[in-house]
Amino acid sequence: MGILDGKTAIVTGAVGSIGRACAEGLIAEGATVVVSDLDAAAIEKAAEEIGAARAIACDVRDDAPMAAFVEGAVEIGGGLDIAVANAGVVNVAPVVENSLEDWRSVTSVNLDGVFVTLKHAALAMVASGGGSIVAISSITGKAGYPFAASYAAAKAGVISLCRTAALELREPGVRVNAVCPGFIETPMVGANKDRFAELSGLDLDELLEQAQGGYGKPADVAGLVTFLASERASLCSGGTYTVDNGLTASLL
Ligand code: NAD
């Protein structure tokens, strides 16, 4: 018996570390999970490895393919109960060195993509009697983070989008929440550590040892996402939930 038995879920960006852990967490609690990511071969492989019901390749920025992705889950489950809007990218650069194109390459995935996911998921959930939407924001959506302005701004936008959507969707029974991970050991962080050190003169590993007690794991995020997806969180909507081992609780 899992807390998500009989539920149908979608997860975007499920080839990546946190998305995959979220899909695994939902499956472990009994949900039927349909996953998506950009590359067809990669998402097929991930789906097979984790036991997802179906893999559908699509870009979170594309409206019609995302509608088809949600429809694919509804076909399997007879409705949609859970959506995890997880896909994201980062660009580490000083704010003044961002071209408008650089800026949009991040905000289009991290904010527009969450909007597109949320919209289609919410429409399906309203049609099938309610559900739970969890968007992966970041602690950088709550406080400044040098050299990731487009990322931080988009993540702040996700928090705001979730709050307003939660209010509009309360009556049809759709809960909407934002999860803000601290620093989680994933390729996204690994790939940008050197550039961050170059720009800031700071060693992220050392910094995090002090500020967060080291890196978190994708499963730390998945645990909270699974709870918010479940009916145990039935009064949780419009919230912003932090998973950072106290990093943002500290002034220094
Ligand atoms: P990751 O790079 O391992 O995974 C991101 C996934 O998103 C990849 O599989 C990628 O292919 C997919 N993706 C990118 N653009 C896409 C698009 N346009 N359409 C569909 N899929 C797309 O990164 P991760 O660390 O697992 O990050 C997952 C989420 O968690 C992101 O939203 C990220 O911003 C957020 N987050 C991560 C951390 C961290 O420390 N790793 C902290 C806070 C928030």
Side-chain angles (χ1 to χ4, degrees):
M1 274 279 287
I3 58 173
L4 301 176
D5 279 347
K7 303 288 186 191
T8 304
I10 57 165
V11 180
T12 67
V15 167
S17 308
I18 294 175
R20 183 181 170 120
C22 289
E24 285 172 339
L26 299 175
I27 292 167
E29 289 297 343
T32 298
V33 178
V34 178
V35 290
S36 75
D37 209 299
L38 285 173
D39 182 75
I43 192 61
E44 288 287 352
K45 183 168 178 283
E48 202 174 306
E49 286 166 0
I50 65 182
R54 187 183 281 183
I56 297 176
C58 57
D59 188 318
V60 288
R61 295 169 291 188
D62 293 340
D63 205 40
M66 284 298 287
F69 166 51
V70 170
E71 191 44 45
V74 171
E75 268 169 26
I76 287 184
L80 183 69
D81 305 292
I82 298 158
V84 183
N86 163 78
V89 293
V90 69
N91 175 36
V92 175
V95 63
V96 293
E97 287 178 19
N98 275 255
S99 65
L100 189 54
E101 213 173 42
D102 293 334
W103 176 270
R104 286 181 177 150
S105 72
V106 175
T107 58
S108 65
V109 178
N110 293 11
L111 181 56
D112 300 2
V114 172
F115 156 69
V116 173
T117 309
L118 180 146
K119 179 180 97 167
H120 293 297
L123 288 168
M125 287 175 185
V126 168
S128 59
S132 171
I133 297 171
V134 184
I136 308 300
S137 175
S138 161
I139 55 169
T140 64
K142 304 203 304 174
Y145 183 53
F147 314 118
S150 53
Y151 182 83
K155 293 299 189 183
V158 167
I159 292 171
S160 177
L161 168 64
C162 287
R163 287 184 180 136
T164 294
L167 301 178
E168 290 185 23
L169 293 164
R170 180 161 53 198
E171 197 273 325
V174 180
R175 296 183 293 106
V176 186
N177 291 291
V179 164
C180 296
F183 289 83
I184 309 298
E185 194 156 26
T186 75
M188 179 186 276
V189 173
N192 289 288
K193 250 191 315 201
D194 290 350
R195 179 73 177 129
F196 177 75
E198 205 180 291
L199 290 165
S200 67
L202 297 169
D203 181 312
L204 193 60
D205 294 354
E206 280 175 22
L207 206 66
L208 283 179
E209 209 47 55
Q210 287 279 321
Q212 200 186 257
Y215 286 93
K217 293 189 278 307
D220 295 323
V221 181
L224 177 59
V225 168
T226 303
F227 166 73
L228 289 170
S230 79
E231 276 155 26
R232 290 190 181 167
S234 58
L235 204 62
C236 297
S237 193
T240 304
Y241 299 88
T242 303
V243 200
D244 71 352
N245 206 20
L247 192 158
T248 48
S250 170
L251 265 181
L252 289 171

mmCIF file of all heavy atoms in Angstrom, residues 105-147:
data_model
loop_
_atom_site.group_PDB
_atom_site.id
_atom_site.type_symbol
_atom_site.label_atom_id
_atom_site.label_comp_id
_atom_site.label_asym_id
_atom_site.label_seq_id
_atom_site.Cartn_x
_atom_site.Cartn_y
_atom_site.Cartn_z
ATOM 1 N N SER A 105 16.741 32.287 -22.847
ATOM 2 C CA SER A 105 17.009 30.843 -22.934
ATOM 3 C C SER A 105 16.767 30.184 -21.574
ATOM 4 O O SER A 105 16.429 29.010 -21.491
ATOM 5 C CB SER A 105 18.433 30.582 -23.436
ATOM 6 O OG SER A 105 19.374 30.921 -22.429
ATOM 7 N N VAL A 106 16.937 30.959 -20.500
ATOM 8 C CA VAL A 106 16.695 30.418 -19.153
ATOM 9 C C VAL A 106 15.253 30.663 -18.709
ATOM 10 O O VAL A 106 14.564 29.735 -18.270
ATOM 11 C CB VAL A 106 17.697 31.025 -18.133
ATOM 12 C CG1 VAL A 106 17.365 30.572 -16.719
ATOM 13 C CG2 VAL A 106 19.115 30.629 -18.500
ATOM 14 N N THR A 107 14.784 31.893 -18.851
ATOM 15 C CA THR A 107 13.430 32.187 -18.351
ATOM 16 C C THR A 107 12.363 31.443 -19.154
ATOM 17 O O THR A 107 11.330 31.073 -18.617
ATOM 18 C CB THR A 107 13.134 33.703 -18.372
ATOM 19 O OG1 THR A 107 13.281 34.192 -19.702
ATOM 20 C CG2 THR A 107 14.062 34.459 -17.436
ATOM 21 N N SER A 108 12.635 31.174 -20.426
ATOM 22 C CA SER A 108 11.623 30.473 -21.242
ATOM 23 C C SER A 108 11.418 29.036 -20.756
ATOM 24 O O SER A 108 10.311 28.517 -20.811
ATOM 25 C CB SER A 108 11.999 30.494 -22.724
ATOM 26 O OG SER A 108 13.182 29.754 -22.922
ATOM 27 N N VAL A 109 12.489 28.404 -20.289
ATOM 28 C CA VAL A 109 12.344 27.038 -19.759
ATOM 29 C C VAL A 109 11.833 27.091 -18.315
ATOM 30 O O VAL A 109 10.836 26.448 -17.969
ATOM 31 C CB VAL A 109 13.697 26.270 -19.795
ATOM 32 C CG1 VAL A 109 13.531 24.869 -19.199
ATOM 33 C CG2 VAL A 109 14.235 26.190 -21.210
ATOM 34 N N ASN A 110 12.496 27.904 -17.491
ATOM 35 C CA ASN A 110 12.255 27.836 -16.040
ATOM 36 C C ASN A 110 10.967 28.519 -15.585
ATOM 37 O O ASN A 110 10.435 28.174 -14.535
ATOM 38 C CB ASN A 110 13.440 28.447 -15.287
ATOM 39 C CG ASN A 110 14.709 27.617 -15.432
ATOM 40 O OD1 ASN A 110 14.774 26.709 -16.248
ATOM 41 N ND2 ASN A 110 15.714 27.928 -14.659
ATOM 42 N N LEU A 111 10.494 29.489 -16.370
ATOM 43 C CA LEU A 111 9.233 30.139 -15.979
ATOM 44 C C LEU A 111 8.128 29.830 -16.999
ATOM 45 O O LEU A 111 7.077 29.290 -16.634
ATOM 46 C CB LEU A 111 9.418 31.649 -15.815
ATOM 47 C CG LEU A 111 8.158 32.417 -15.386
ATOM 48 C CD1 LEU A 111 7.559 31.859 -14.093
ATOM 49 C CD2 LEU A 111 8.464 33.905 -15.216
ATOM 50 N N ASP A 112 8.380 30.115 -18.284
ATOM 51 C CA ASP A 112 7.344 29.824 -19.286
ATOM 52 C C ASP A 112 7.015 28.322 -19.270
ATOM 53 O O ASP A 112 5.853 27.934 -19.368
ATOM 54 C CB ASP A 112 7.815 30.191 -20.707
ATOM 55 C CG ASP A 112 8.155 31.672 -20.857
ATOM 56 O OD1 ASP A 112 8.061 32.421 -19.870
ATOM 57 O OD2 ASP A 112 8.532 32.072 -21.972
ATOM 58 N N GLY A 113 8.057 27.505 -19.151
ATOM 59 C CA GLY A 113 7.853 26.045 -19.175
ATOM 60 C C GLY A 113 7.005 25.562 -18.007
ATOM 61 O O GLY A 113 6.183 24.657 -18.153
ATOM 62 N N VAL A 114 7.196 26.186 -16.840
ATOM 63 C CA VAL A 114 6.373 25.812 -15.671
ATOM 64 C C VAL A 114 4.934 26.279 -15.901
ATOM 65 O O VAL A 114 3.980 25.554 -15.595
ATOM 66 C CB VAL A 114 6.967 26.392 -14.371
ATOM 67 C CG1 VAL A 114 6.002 26.180 -13.199
ATOM 68 C CG2 VAL A 114 8.310 25.748 -14.068
ATOM 69 N N PHE A 115 4.790 27.462 -16.485
ATOM 70 C CA PHE A 115 3.434 27.943 -16.797
ATOM 71 C C PHE A 115 2.714 26.972 -17.752
ATOM 72 O O PHE A 115 1.560 26.584 -17.514
ATOM 73 C CB PHE A 115 3.494 29.351 -17.420
ATOM 74 C CG PHE A 115 2.294 29.677 -18.257
ATOM 75 C CD1 PHE A 115 1.053 29.866 -17.667
ATOM 76 C CD2 PHE A 115 2.398 29.746 -19.646
ATOM 77 C CE1 PHE A 115 -0.070 30.131 -18.452
ATOM 78 C CE2 PHE A 115 1.284 30.010 -20.427
ATOM 79 C CZ PHE A 115 0.043 30.201 -19.836
ATOM 80 N N VAL A 116 3.390 26.565 -18.808
ATOM 81 C CA VAL A 116 2.764 25.675 -19.799
ATOM 82 C C VAL A 116 2.388 24.335 -19.137
ATOM 83 O O VAL A 116 1.281 23.814 -19.321
ATOM 84 C CB VAL A 116 3.707 25.446 -21.013
ATOM 85 C CG1 VAL A 116 3.143 24.387 -21.951
ATOM 86 C CG2 VAL A 116 3.937 26.749 -21.767
ATOM 87 N N THR A 117 3.304 23.809 -18.333
ATOM 88 C CA THR A 117 3.042 22.538 -17.633
ATOM 89 C C THR A 117 1.844 22.687 -16.701
ATOM 90 O O THR A 117 0.915 21.863 -16.702
ATOM 91 C CB THR A 117 4.286 22.112 -16.816
ATOM 92 O OG1 THR A 117 5.430 22.136 -17.656
ATOM 93 C CG2 THR A 117 4.107 20.715 -16.218
ATOM 94 N N LEU A 118 1.884 23.751 -15.900
ATOM 95 C CA LEU A 118 0.818 23.994 -14.911
ATOM 96 C C LEU A 118 -0.535 24.157 -15.609
ATOM 97 O O LEU A 118 -1.543 23.589 -15.173
ATOM 98 C CB LEU A 118 1.187 25.231 -14.095
ATOM 99 C CG LEU A 118 0.227 25.691 -13.006
ATOM 100 C CD1 LEU A 118 1.008 26.287 -11.835
ATOM 101 C CD2 LEU A 118 -0.793 26.700 -13.498
ATOM 102 N N LYS A 119 -0.544 24.929 -16.685
ATOM 103 C CA LYS A 119 -1.820 25.204 -17.363
ATOM 104 C C LYS A 119 -2.479 23.910 -17.855
ATOM 105 O O LYS A 119 -3.654 23.652 -17.548
ATOM 106 C CB LYS A 119 -1.573 26.150 -18.550
ATOM 107 C CG LYS A 119 -2.833 26.465 -19.339
ATOM 108 C CD LYS A 119 -2.557 27.403 -20.488
ATOM 109 C CE LYS A 119 -2.368 26.635 -21.769
ATOM 110 N NZ LYS A 119 -2.398 27.487 -22.971
ATOM 111 N N HIS A 120 -1.714 23.104 -18.591
ATOM 112 C CA HIS A 120 -2.324 21.888 -19.143
ATOM 113 C C HIS A 120 -2.651 20.876 -18.043
ATOM 114 O O HIS A 120 -3.682 20.195 -18.108
ATOM 115 C CB HIS A 120 -1.423 21.285 -20.222
ATOM 116 C CG HIS A 120 -1.344 22.171 -21.430
ATOM 117 N ND1 HIS A 120 -2.458 22.454 -22.203
ATOM 118 C CD2 HIS A 120 -0.333 22.872 -21.971
ATOM 119 C CE1 HIS A 120 -2.112 23.289 -23.174
ATOM 120 N NE2 HIS A 120 -0.829 23.558 -23.056
ATOM 121 N N ALA A 121 -1.774 20.796 -17.041
ATOM 122 C CA ALA A 121 -2.051 19.868 -15.933
ATOM 123 C C ALA A 121 -3.308 20.307 -15.196
ATOM 124 O O ALA A 121 -4.180 19.481 -14.871
ATOM 125 C CB ALA A 121 -0.860 19.827 -14.983
ATOM 126 N N ALA A 122 -3.438 21.605 -14.932
ATOM 127 C CA ALA A 122 -4.596 22.102 -14.185
ATOM 128 C C ALA A 122 -5.891 21.852 -14.951
ATOM 129 O O ALA A 122 -6.901 21.441 -14.361
ATOM 130 C CB ALA A 122 -4.429 23.587 -13.888
ATOM 131 N N LEU A 123 -5.860 22.066 -16.251
ATOM 132 C CA LEU A 123 -7.074 21.826 -17.052
ATOM 133 C C LEU A 123 -7.502 20.363 -16.941
ATOM 134 O O LEU A 123 -8.691 20.058 -16.757
ATOM 135 C CB LEU A 123 -6.831 22.208 -18.528
ATOM 136 C CG LEU A 123 -6.736 23.724 -18.798
ATOM 137 C CD1 LEU A 123 -6.217 23.986 -20.210
ATOM 138 C CD2 LEU A 123 -8.096 24.396 -18.584
ATOM 139 N N ALA A 124 -6.525 19.467 -17.025
ATOM 140 C CA ALA A 124 -6.840 18.027 -16.924
ATOM 141 C C ALA A 124 -7.334 17.676 -15.523
ATOM 142 O O ALA A 124 -8.272 16.885 -15.358
ATOM 143 C CB ALA A 124 -5.604 17.196 -17.279
ATOM 144 N N MET A 125 -6.725 18.282 -14.508
ATOM 145 C CA MET A 125 -7.122 17.977 -13.122
ATOM 146 C C MET A 125 -8.517 18.505 -12.811
ATOM 147 O O MET A 125 -9.297 17.843 -12.122
ATOM 148 C CB MET A 125 -6.105 18.583 -12.143
ATOM 149 C CG MET A 125 -4.787 17.838 -12.135
ATOM 150 S SD MET A 125 -3.588 18.689 -11.088
ATOM 151 C CE MET A 125 -2.137 17.684 -11.385
ATOM 152 N N VAL A 126 -8.827 19.680 -13.310
ATOM 153 C CA VAL A 126 -10.174 20.229 -13.096
ATOM 154 C C VAL A 126 -11.193 19.278 -13.728
ATOM 155 O O VAL A 126 -12.239 18.980 -13.134
ATOM 156 C CB VAL A 126 -10.284 21.657 -13.685
ATOM 157 C CG1 VAL A 126 -11.734 22.119 -13.731
ATOM 158 C CG2 VAL A 126 -9.429 22.627 -12.872
ATOM 159 N N ALA A 127 -10.855 18.753 -14.902
ATOM 160 C CA ALA A 127 -11.775 17.835 -15.594
ATOM 161 C C ALA A 127 -11.941 16.517 -14.853
ATOM 162 O O ALA A 127 -12.972 15.851 -14.981
ATOM 163 C CB ALA A 127 -11.277 17.589 -17.022
ATOM 164 N N SER A 128 -10.913 16.118 -14.058
ATOM 165 C CA SER A 128 -11.024 14.811 -13.387
ATOM 166 C C SER A 128 -11.169 14.943 -11.873
ATOM 167 O O SER A 128 -10.900 14.001 -11.135
ATOM 168 C CB SER A 128 -9.851 13.901 -13.785
ATOM 169 O OG SER A 128 -8.613 14.475 -13.462
ATOM 170 N N GLY A 129 -11.567 16.122 -11.396
ATOM 171 C CA GLY A 129 -11.964 16.245 -9.986
ATOM 172 C C GLY A 129 -10.911 16.722 -9.017
ATOM 173 O O GLY A 129 -11.081 16.590 -7.807
ATOM 174 N N GLY A 130 -9.807 17.274 -9.505
ATOM 175 C CA GLY A 130 -8.803 17.854 -8.610
ATOM 176 C C GLY A 130 -7.455 17.181 -8.713
ATOM 177 O O GLY A 130 -7.303 16.188 -9.428
ATOM 178 N N GLY A 131 -6.474 17.734 -7.996
ATOM 179 C CA GLY A 131 -5.131 17.153 -8.056
ATOM 180 C C GLY A 131 -4.115 18.029 -7.344
ATOM 181 O O GLY A 131 -4.477 18.964 -6.625
ATOM 182 N N SER A 132 -2.845 17.699 -7.551
ATOM 183 C CA SER A 132 -1.747 18.417 -6.888
ATOM 184 C C SER A 132 -0.650 18.738 -7.895
ATOM 185 O O SER A 132 -0.138 17.834 -8.562
ATOM 186 C CB SER A 132 -1.179 17.554 -5.755
ATOM 187 O OG SER A 132 0.000 18.134 -5.242
ATOM 188 N N ILE A 133 -0.313 20.013 -7.983
ATOM 189 C CA ILE A 133 0.770 20.447 -8.873
ATOM 190 C C ILE A 133 1.930 20.910 -7.998
ATOM 191 O O ILE A 133 1.736 21.716 -7.082
ATOM 192 C CB ILE A 133 0.302 21.603 -9.790
ATOM 193 C CG1 ILE A 133 -0.832 21.120 -10.703
ATOM 194 C CG2 ILE A 133 1.473 22.146 -10.609
ATOM 195 C CD1 ILE A 133 -1.507 22.235 -11.503
ATOM 196 N N VAL A 134 3.118 20.387 -8.270
ATOM 197 C CA VAL A 134 4.314 20.798 -7.525
ATOM 198 C C VAL A 134 5.329 21.328 -8.535
ATOM 199 O O VAL A 134 5.714 20.611 -9.466
ATOM 200 C CB VAL A 134 4.934 19.618 -6.737
ATOM 201 C CG1 VAL A 134 6.108 20.115 -5.899
ATOM 202 C CG2 VAL A 134 3.901 18.937 -5.849
ATOM 203 N N ALA A 135 5.731 22.577 -8.364
ATOM 204 C CA ALA A 135 6.724 23.165 -9.258
ATOM 205 C C ALA A 135 8.060 23.253 -8.524
ATOM 206 O O ALA A 135 8.108 23.654 -7.358
ATOM 207 C CB ALA A 135 6.280 24.552 -9.697
ATOM 208 N N ILE A 136 9.114 22.860 -9.215
ATOM 209 C CA ILE A 136 10.443 22.948 -8.595
ATOM 210 C C ILE A 136 11.003 24.345 -8.845
ATOM 211 O O ILE A 136 11.421 24.676 -9.957
ATOM 212 C CB ILE A 136 11.410 21.864 -9.140
ATOM 213 C CG1 ILE A 136 10.785 20.458 -9.039
ATOM 214 C CG2 ILE A 136 12.727 21.929 -8.363
ATOM 215 C CD1 ILE A 136 10.424 19.995 -7.643
ATOM 216 N N SER A 137 10.979 25.151 -7.793
ATOM 217 C CA SER A 137 11.589 26.482 -7.830
ATOM 218 C C SER A 137 13.016 26.321 -7.313
ATOM 219 O O SER A 137 13.710 25.359 -7.687
ATOM 220 C CB SER A 137 10.752 27.456 -6.994
ATOM 221 O OG SER A 137 11.378 28.711 -6.909
ATOM 222 N N SER A 138 13.454 27.198 -6.434
ATOM 223 C CA SER A 138 14.828 27.134 -5.908
ATOM 224 C C SER A 138 14.936 28.157 -4.781
ATOM 225 O O SER A 138 14.193 29.150 -4.756
ATOM 226 C CB SER A 138 15.806 27.501 -7.027
ATOM 227 O OG SER A 138 17.065 27.885 -6.494
ATOM 228 N N ILE A 139 15.914 27.968 -3.885
ATOM 229 C CA ILE A 139 16.143 29.009 -2.874
ATOM 230 C C ILE A 139 16.590 30.310 -3.546
ATOM 231 O O ILE A 139 16.432 31.378 -2.963
ATOM 232 C CB ILE A 139 17.159 28.567 -1.787
ATOM 233 C CG1 ILE A 139 18.484 28.115 -2.412
ATOM 234 C CG2 ILE A 139 16.569 27.497 -0.885
ATOM 235 C CD1 ILE A 139 19.603 27.919 -1.391
ATOM 236 N N THR A 140 17.098 30.233 -4.765
ATOM 237 C CA THR A 140 17.485 31.457 -5.484
ATOM 238 C C THR A 140 16.256 32.247 -5.925
ATOM 239 O O THR A 140 16.392 33.382 -6.387
ATOM 240 C CB THR A 140 18.349 31.150 -6.721
ATOM 241 O OG1 THR A 140 17.563 30.406 -7.654
ATOM 242 C CG2 THR A 140 19.587 30.347 -6.367
ATOM 243 N N GLY A 141 15.075 31.668 -5.774
ATOM 244 C CA GLY A 141 13.843 32.411 -6.026
ATOM 245 C C GLY A 141 13.436 33.233 -4.811
ATOM 246 O O GLY A 141 12.519 34.045 -4.876
ATOM 247 N N LYS A 142 14.138 33.003 -3.677
ATOM 248 C CA LYS A 142 13.774 33.695 -2.434
ATOM 249 C C LYS A 142 14.845 34.674 -1.975
ATOM 250 O O LYS A 142 14.596 35.513 -1.126
ATOM 251 C CB LYS A 142 13.540 32.662 -1.322
ATOM 252 C CG LYS A 142 12.478 31.622 -1.699
ATOM 253 C CD LYS A 142 11.854 30.968 -0.504
ATOM 254 C CE LYS A 142 12.866 30.311 0.408
ATOM 255 N NZ LYS A 142 12.205 29.804 1.631
ATOM 256 N N ALA A 143 16.063 34.515 -2.485
ATOM 257 C CA ALA A 143 17.167 35.404 -2.090
ATOM 258 C C ALA A 143 18.120 35.524 -3.269
ATOM 259 O O ALA A 143 18.149 34.638 -4.128
ATOM 260 C CB ALA A 143 17.895 34.814 -0.886
ATOM 261 N N GLY A 144 18.885 36.595 -3.295
ATOM 262 C CA GLY A 144 19.781 36.816 -4.433
ATOM 263 C C GLY A 144 20.871 35.762 -4.523
ATOM 264 O O GLY A 144 21.325 35.231 -3.503
ATOM 265 N N TYR A 145 21.257 35.451 -5.743
ATOM 266 C CA TYR A 145 22.358 34.509 -5.966
ATOM 267 C C TYR A 145 23.212 35.053 -7.111
ATOM 268 O O TYR A 145 22.777 35.029 -8.262
ATOM 269 C CB TYR A 145 21.792 33.118 -6.298
ATOM 270 C CG TYR A 145 22.857 32.068 -6.471
ATOM 271 C CD1 TYR A 145 23.817 31.859 -5.482
ATOM 272 C CD2 TYR A 145 22.910 31.276 -7.614
ATOM 273 C CE1 TYR A 145 24.805 30.904 -5.633
ATOM 274 C CE2 TYR A 145 23.890 30.308 -7.771
ATOM 275 C CZ TYR A 145 24.833 30.133 -6.771
ATOM 276 O OH TYR A 145 25.806 29.186 -6.929
ATOM 277 N N PRO A 146 24.408 35.572 -6.785
ATOM 278 C CA PRO A 146 25.221 36.236 -7.801
ATOM 279 C C PRO A 146 25.528 35.324 -8.994
ATOM 280 O O PRO A 146 25.814 34.137 -8.807
ATOM 281 C CB PRO A 146 26.520 36.575 -7.062
ATOM 282 C CG PRO A 146 26.234 36.434 -5.626
ATOM 283 C CD PRO A 146 25.065 35.528 -5.469
ATOM 284 N N PHE A 147 25.463 35.910 -10.164
ATOM 285 C CA PHE A 147 25.823 35.272 -11.435
ATOM 286 C C PHE A 147 24.787 34.260 -11.944
ATOM 287 O O PHE A 147 25.097 33.406 -12.764
ATOM 288 C CB PHE A 147 27.233 34.640 -11.359
ATOM 289 C CG PHE A 147 28.237 35.576 -10.740
ATOM 290 C CD1 PHE A 147 28.898 35.252 -9.558
ATOM 291 C CD2 PHE A 147 28.481 36.815 -11.312
ATOM 292 C CE1 PHE A 147 29.787 36.145 -8.966
ATOM 293 C CE2 PHE A 147 29.375 37.718 -10.738
ATOM 294 C CZ PHE A 147 30.032 37.377 -9.560
#
